[in-house]
Amino acid sequence: MDERVREHAEVLVDWSARIEAGDDVVVSVAEDAHDLGVAVVEALGERGANVTTLYGSDELSRAYLKGSEARAADGDAGDGNTAVEADDFDSDPVVDRAIFEAADAYLRLGGGRNTTATADVDRETRQAYAKSRQAVREARMDTDWVSTVHPTRSLAQQAGMAYEEYQEFVYDAVLRDWEALADEMARMKAILDSGEAVRIVTEREDAPDTDVRMSIAGRTAVNSAASVAYDSHNLPSGEVFTAPYDTEGEAFFDVPMTIDATRVRNVHLVFEDGEVVEFAAETGEAALASVLDTDPGARRLGELGIGMNRGIDRFTDSILFDEKMGDTVHLAVGRAYDACLPDGESGTDSAVHVDMISDVSADSRLEVDGDVIQRNGRFRWEDGFED
């Protein structure tokens, strides 16, 4: 086994999930993440944890959803509508929910064989299934959960990279000095925690402008240093994020992304009174519309994130990596994370949380309460900021 796989497992178990003896840990292993799964459960055994393993397969998910569509077609009353609705799925799947309610931690090891395995499942079916799983999702998120990926050939293809090249990319992002990065990101967290308003501006000749303002007063930023100790649940991570509200203005997102198995490019959103009132995309606009129509919360922001992991040096069409990349900011429509909210206050509530990313490496600035904190990708404590 590549020694970096064992190092990845140790970072996940020790730094990220902070597993202790006696913890009940659920590990979901994707189709081609077997080596990482072996290394992770070995590490968990060494630490005296109790392990339950699940098989996290997008191809199995596709088979189940296609079967559900076939059932709906068989029951068609002649009106031509064979879409699967949320009521057609069990809205309280007891077994799945019980697994996560009993768990202390959940580790998701991604890395399937096909990054678009569910592309031929009707979008309404996927949306209905997501809605029906909300109770399971909430139970899972009540654990100390961490999501990571094993470098696979399918992910390398999606990133447009040779497999060996992609392995180097993943481990450069994952095997970092996380304590040092956490200390740097603490500066950004302190600025957002004490701030009241954020403005993001980009003015490029080759792209529509961004000029969007949002309130962050009373919200708590998360220093997402790839550890549950920091309320951070992704490995790799390397962002500082908060839960904005009262958004006004327009934003352009130039980093391509895959939403609901559909490639989406060059998204433009217009906000009024905190809500998306206009939207457009060069490609994949129907997928974007489907997200925004999920529920009322899907048209409001749930997150402002600032990427600070400079070990991620290129876009790979994977939100796990792309949103953490230095020289980027991202906004997410949909659900806000509880870690950013005061006790007793609810933020945006939605069944979805979809991130959209902007490259801010040139002709851009990020302001907090009128002070420029980041210019052309450089923070004010970094060399090159004044340039």
Side-chain angles (χ1 to χ4, degrees):
M1 182 183 291
D2 187 328
E3 188 57 33
R4 294 174 299 181
V5 179
R6 297 192 188 280
E7 292 178 35
H8 187 172
E10 290 171 1
V11 171
L12 177 66
V13 170
D14 295 333
W15 171 264
S16 296
R18 306 294 172 104
I19 301 300
E20 298 179 353
D23 283 350
D24 293 311
V25 184
V26 176
V27 182
S28 175
V29 184
E31 293 146 323
D32 280 2
H34 178 78
D35 282 359
L36 181 57
V38 170
V40 166
V41 299
E42 181 180 29
L44 291 171
E46 291 173 352
R47 286 148 185 77
N50 306 311
V51 178
T52 298
T53 56
L54 304 176
Y55 183 49
S57 167
D58 288 340
E59 293 184 1
L60 291 186
S61 296
R62 174 193 178 274
Y64 176 70
L65 295 176
K66 294 297 285 186
S68 299
E69 289 182 342
R71 170 171 50 85
D74 290 341
D76 181 16
D79 58 6
N81 182 14
T82 60
V84 182
E85 299 179 356
D87 291 345
D88 295 323
F89 294 110
D90 185 352
S91 62
D92 189 19
V94 176
V95 172
D96 283 1
R97 182 167 51 81
I99 288 174
F100 295 112
E101 287 178 343
D104 295 303
Y106 168 67
L107 308 180
R108 179 185 178 275
L109 316 182
R113 288 194 288 258
N114 182 356
T115 60
T116 57
T118 61
D120 65 342
V121 178
D122 188 277
R123 184 174 290 110
E124 291 183 8
T125 299
R126 294 196 298 264
Q127 195 175 75
Y129 184 66
K131 288 181 179 179
S132 74
R133 305 286 293 178
Q134 196 154 354
V136 174
R137 185 164 50 251
E138 294 303 325
R140 186 171 66 239
M141 294 187 70
D142 282 341
T143 69
D144 285 336
W145 64 272
V146 183
S147 179
T148 192
V149 296
H150 182 62
T152 65
R153 285 173 170 79
S154 64
L155 292 173
Q157 287 176 325
Q158 184 177 14
M161 298 165 68
Y163 176 53
E164 293 77 8
E165 181 186 20
Y166 185 70
Q167 287 178 302
E168 295 287 343
F169 166 81
V170 169
Y171 294 125
D172 282 347
V174 169
L175 305 180
R176 292 184 56 84
D177 183 343
W178 286 107
E179 289 192 49
L181 185 55
D183 289 344
E184 180 186 356
M185 294 194 300
R187 300 187 184 191
M188 192 69 236
K189 170 180 163 56
I191 291 169
L192 294 179
D193 283 348
S194 62
E196 296 189 354
V198 172
R199 183 186 182 195
I200 302 169
V201 178
T202 63
E203 299 171 312
R204 303 193 186 106
E205 293 182 0
D206 60 345
D209 291 344
T210 288
D211 191 347
V212 62
R213 298 170 176 82
M214 62 205 77
S215 177
I216 58 170
R219 298 294 165 88
T220 300
V222 170
N223 177 350
S224 188
S227 173
V228 296
Y230 291 85
D231 285 319
S232 177
H233 299 277
N234 290 328
L235 177 66
S237 195
E239 63 169 315
V240 178
F241 66 86
T242 191
Y245 57 98
D246 290 346
T247 312
E248 297 283 347
E250 55 187 304
F252 180 71
F253 305 94
D254 55 347
V255 177
M257 67 203 83
T258 297
I259 297 177
D260 204 12
T262 302
R263 178 57 71 93
V264 180
R265 296 178 184 272
N266 293 339
V267 171
H268 182 242
L269 300 181
V270 178
F271 294 89
E272 292 181 4
D273 296 327
E275 184 175 319
V276 175
V277 295
E278 296 180 29
F279 65 89
E282 183 179 308
T283 61
E285 188 170 301
L288 176 62
S290 178
V291 167
L292 296 173
D293 290 341
T294 301
D295 49 42
R299 286 181 174 261
R300 294 181 175 274
L301 288 187
E303 180 188 0
L304 158 67
I306 301 165
M308 298 182 67
N309 186 339
R310 299 197 187 279
I312 303 172
D313 61 359
R314 69 190 78 182
F315 301 113
T316 61
D317 195 23
S318 168
I319 196 66
L320 179 64
F321 293 91
D322 293 351
E323 70 171 359
K324 316 301 191 311
M325 182 176 174
D327 296 354
T328 68
V329 297
H330 58 275
L331 300 177
V333 292
R335 178 174 49 82
Y337 293 117
D338 289 344
C340 299
L341 305 173
D343 290 341
E345 182 174 329
S346 60
T348 302
D349 185 26
S350 176
V352 298
H353 179 97
V354 176
D355 297 280
M356 287 167 273
I357 308 170
S358 291
D359 181 349
V360 294
S361 61
D363 302 317
S364 68
R365 66 183 186 274
L366 183 149
E367 302 174 3
V368 178
D369 296 339
D371 294 328
V372 178
I373 306 301
Q374 182 188 52
R375 181 185 293 114
N376 301 336
R378 292 289 159 180
F379 296 98
R380 68 183 183 188
W381 57 82
E382 290 184 304
D383 292 340
F385 173 75
E386 294 301 331
D387 297 338

